[in-house]
Amino acid sequence: MVSPSQTPASRVIISLIGIAAIIGNVLVLWVYYRRRNKSVKTAFDIFIINLAVSDLLAGIFILFGRFVFQPQIPENYESAMTYCYLLWGGFILFGCGLVSVYTCLVLTIERWLAIMKPHFFRRIRAKHAIVTIIAVWTWSFLINSTVFFSVKANFDTRSCYWVDPKTGRAFFAFIEISMSSVLPFSIIIVLYAHIYYKVRHMKHLKGGKEDFKRRLTIIALAASVALIVGWLPTKISFMLRYTNVGGKHLGQAAHLVFIMLALSNSFINPILYGIYSSKFRDEYKEVLSDILCKLTNCTDEGEEDTEMTSDN
């Protein structure tokens, strides 16, 4: 019986998710590259750039993992185990997903400080954001290291497979559900609820600067909501494996749908930026216009027209 994750339809859908993630996040990074000499990078900007980088890497490893273009398992034992851990087991792919989760968490904290503690917020510099990002990457991949106890290689069939941890089942379950979802999602929900309550009772939030602050908060909120909706079903499904509720589920269609939903978070953020930020929309148009010009050589034509005009 063919696993749902190996059917042509699922491969096409997941391929489209990966391609959309790569294109969308390259677009976001291109926008920030164009801005590099125009504005000072704030902590918010650095967190958004980090989110785009992690989602871009996720898009790449969506395509070159166990779901789409799966490389052949190496014959050497050490290389085979590395392959099973990093690619087939999703250590890199889902590690990048956890980076996105915790980046949304620090974005939420940054927005909470902007609204609730403006005096403290003004002291936050780019260097503080960079240190935070390093901590986010380290912590995210540390949490995801449980994969090293759950994946093995079968040299007879030249394949990787999941195994139940021999010891510490409760510990792995606690790490998987608490650190990767319950803790960050709970903090995000509580902080945004606090922001909503506070903003409703702050009549002085008027003017261009405060409207800009509100728009940034809406962008961060939208990204966080999409993240929770996308990742929570997958995390619950993974928990079934550790608790033996529902049996072996990793090859089932329902679990694959949950994984697709989680992977979709890798391309949804660029869309949200375009929906909730007119500045991003305008810059998207400029970037796409530049690309179109390069493809059609409109710049060269424009220069030729200018030269002809000057000659006349």
Side-chain angles (χ1 to χ4, degrees):
M1 181 177 179
V2 178
S3 169
S5 63
Q6 297 174 342
T7 62
S10 64
R11 287 179 180 271
V12 169
I13 295 172
I14 295 176
S15 296
L16 292 175
I17 292 173
I19 293 170
I22 292 171
I23 294 174
N25 289 289
V26 166
L27 188 59
V28 172
L29 293 174
W30 199 333
V31 165
Y32 273 105
Y33 178 75
R34 285 166 53 92
R35 291 184 191 177
R36 66 191 184 282
N37 296 323
K38 297 180 181 179
S39 61
V40 178
K41 296 296 179 292
T42 64
F44 182 87
D45 292 326
I46 291 172
F47 294 147
I48 292 294
I49 291 172
N50 185 67
L51 199 56
V53 169
S54 64
D55 287 342
L56 172 60
L57 290 174
I60 293 172
F61 284 99
I62 285 171
L63 295 178
F64 300 99
R66 76 172 186 267
F67 297 114
V68 185
F69 305 112
Q70 182 176 335
Q72 190 175 16
I73 185 171
E75 296 182 1
N76 176 270
Y77 176 79
E78 289 77 11
S79 300
M81 291 305 298
T82 301
Y83 164 89
C84 289
Y85 291 146
L86 301 187
L87 293 181
W88 190 89
F91 178 72
I92 297 178
L93 172 58
F94 291 106
C96 289
L98 285 173
V99 170
S100 296
V101 169
Y102 276 91
T103 301
C104 280
L105 174 59
V106 296
L107 266 172
T108 302
I109 296 172
E110 188 264 357
R111 290 294 86 203
W112 182 83
L113 291 172
I115 300 295
M116 304 297 177
K117 307 288 182 181
H119 296 293
F120 179 83
F121 174 76
R122 294 188 190 101
R123 297 200 297 269
I124 298 177
R125 298 291 180 265
K127 62 181 181 181
H128 301 132
I130 292 173
V131 171
T132 302
I133 290 306
I134 294 173
V136 162
W137 281 84
T138 303
W139 177 244
S140 298
F141 279 93
L142 181 63
I143 294 172
N144 202 42
S145 62
T146 54
V147 72
F148 295 118
F149 303 93
S150 305
V151 174
K152 296 293 182 183
N154 188 326
F155 286 94
D156 294 331
T157 59
R158 298 292 300 279
S159 62
C160 307
Y161 62 98
W162 295 101
V163 295
D164 288 326
K166 294 180 180 179
T167 59
R169 179 183 296 273
F171 172 76
F172 285 112
F174 172 78
I175 292 295
E176 185 66 34
I177 194 68
S178 299
M179 297 294 101
S180 64
S181 54
V182 173
L183 177 64
F185 293 165
S186 297
I187 296 175
I188 288 172
I189 292 171
V190 169
L191 290 183
Y192 274 121
H194 191 199
I195 290 173
Y196 175 76
Y197 174 80
K198 190 73 174 179
V199 168
R200 285 190 60 188
H201 296 81
M202 294 172 68
K203 298 180 180 180
H204 68 279
L205 280 179
K206 296 180 180 179
K209 187 175 181 180
E210 298 301 336
D211 287 340
F212 177 70
K213 186 186 296 184
R214 187 182 293 109
R215 287 197 299 273
L216 293 184
T217 304
I218 291 173
I219 291 173
L221 172 61
S224 298
V225 170
L227 193 78
I228 293 173
V229 171
W231 276 101
L232 194 56
T234 304
K235 291 302 178 183
I236 293 174
S237 182
F238 269 114
M239 276 297 84
L240 301 180
R241 175 172 177 268
Y242 287 117
T243 57
N244 282 333
V245 177
K248 303 293 184 182
H249 66 89
L250 290 176
Q252 294 177 359
H255 181 65
L256 180 62
V257 171
F258 292 153
I259 289 180
M260 289 180 180
L261 186 61
L263 297 180
S264 298
N265 277 278
S266 59
F267 74 81
I268 198 68
N269 289 327
I271 298 174
L272 295 176
Y273 304 154
I275 293 174
Y276 292 105
S277 172
S278 58
K279 186 176 181 180
F280 260 106
R281 281 198 302 274
D282 293 340
E283 290 183 284
Y284 282 168
K285 292 176 184 177
E286 291 176 7
V287 169
L288 295 175
S289 178
D290 289 346
I291 294 173
L292 184 61
C293 277
K294 290 180 179 179
L295 292 176
T296 59
N297 295 320
C298 67
T299 303
D300 295 337
E301 292 176 1
E303 290 176 354
E304 291 176 2
D305 292 341
T306 303
E307 292 176 359
M308 293 177 62
T309 304
S310 61
D311 290 340
N312 293 334

